[in-house]
Amino acid sequence: MATIFGTSLAPVGSVADAPGLRLDGAASITSAVVGSTTYVYVAGQNDDNIQVFTLDGTGTLTPIVPPPGPVTVSQAFALTTFEVDGTPFLAALDPMTDLLAVYRLRDDPVAPLFPQDSASAGPNSPLSNPSALVAVETGGGTYLYVAGNTPTMGGVEAFRVTSDGNLLSLGMTTISDFTLFGERHLAPFSLSGTEYLVDIVPSISSINIAEVSAADGSLPRVENVVGLPFELGPAAAR
């Protein structure tokens, strides 16, 4: 893993996996400012853990050796950070146990992650075969969205995150609305004061766009574009 600094995108450092670190099969990366410290979080998919670094003003990464617990995700591949009422959290998808886990972030070099809550897959839930995770903050609250990647679990399941970090499932927007399945990528964006989700499926060059309700985080309107006149490769999706 490398850090890049400045408008010239000059690399300033890198960290390779080593004994005591959890970078084997690094699959996802995110960051957050907690207190006065900038932290970087990396999902070590083959290490069944999350590696945490501090990042200073020069771009130098200092690894924090993970404690033996309580971070016990299996092959986590999607991480996202967010805040609820000023409190920072991290969410991780665990495809091996069909789990969505939420951790409270702490400015603590010994225990930077504190397990807060988790949700398991229900019948036909996208958590049974998840492909993407994203957080969206609206005037009505903070929400997590999980996209599935099979015909029966191809919808998007929404969760509201309470101020203490607990998860409340809002149910699933089903395959009849989110008509795409396969490897997927979610990204939020704002337009004229409204929050939206973009749901991209590179394998069939298609896109869903969903409006996020500011009141309750539901997805009341979905537009679907299938068979775009250009190819969406994996790099374009990210």
Side-chain angles (χ1 to χ4, degrees):
M1 190 180 75
T3 52
I4 297 174
F5 180 77
T7 57
S8 61
L9 298 181
V12 296
S14 64
V15 177
D17 193 28
L21 299 185
R22 301 294 186 267
L23 288 175
D24 188 19
S28 181
I29 185 170
T30 188
S31 64
V33 176
V34 185
S36 59
T37 307
T38 299
Y39 289 87
V40 176
Y41 309 89
V42 182
Q45 194 168 38
N46 297 338
D47 279 324
D48 298 339
N49 216 312
I50 298 172
Q51 178 64 55
V52 183
F53 298 85
T54 59
L55 178 68
D56 68 16
T58 67
T60 300
L61 290 162
T62 301
I64 295 175
V65 177
V71 180
T72 54
V73 289
S74 300
Q75 296 193 5
F77 74 99
L79 304 178
T80 187
T81 51
F82 56 93
E83 289 189 357
V84 182
D85 295 336
T87 300
F89 295 94
L90 178 143
L93 277 180
D94 182 346
M96 294 299 293
T97 58
D98 299 336
L99 193 74
L100 171 63
V102 173
Y103 300 90
R104 185 186 297 267
L105 301 182
R106 302 195 291 198
D107 190 7
D108 183 342
V110 177
L113 297 172
F114 180 80
Q116 192 65 48
D117 197 12
S118 62
S120 300
N124 295 328
S125 166
L127 273 174
S128 297
N129 200 344
S131 182
L133 169 69
V134 72
V136 177
E137 298 178 33
T138 74
T142 301
Y143 304 92
L144 294 173
Y145 299 90
V146 178
N149 65 356
T150 68
T152 55
M153 277 83 79
V156 171
E157 186 165 3
F159 296 85
R160 183 175 181 270
V161 187
T162 66
S163 58
D164 55 4
N166 291 327
L167 291 167
L168 300 176
S169 177
L170 303 179
M172 182 175 69
T173 300
T174 65
I175 194 69
S176 61
D177 296 312
F178 276 78
T179 58
L180 312 176
F181 55 90
E183 183 187 8
R184 296 166 67 176
H185 310 271
L186 294 177
F189 70 94
S190 299
L191 182 64
S192 301
T194 300
E195 300 294 327
Y196 295 89
L197 280 183
V198 176
D199 174 26
I200 297 177
V201 184
S203 60
I204 54 175
S205 297
S206 300
I207 293 176
N208 284 314
I209 298 178
E211 179 182 341
V212 179
S213 169
D216 59 11
S218 61
L219 305 173
R221 185 168 64 89
V222 176
E223 300 292 339
N224 174 239
V225 181
V226 179
L228 297 172
F230 52 85
E231 187 68 21
L232 284 173
R238 291 179 174 84

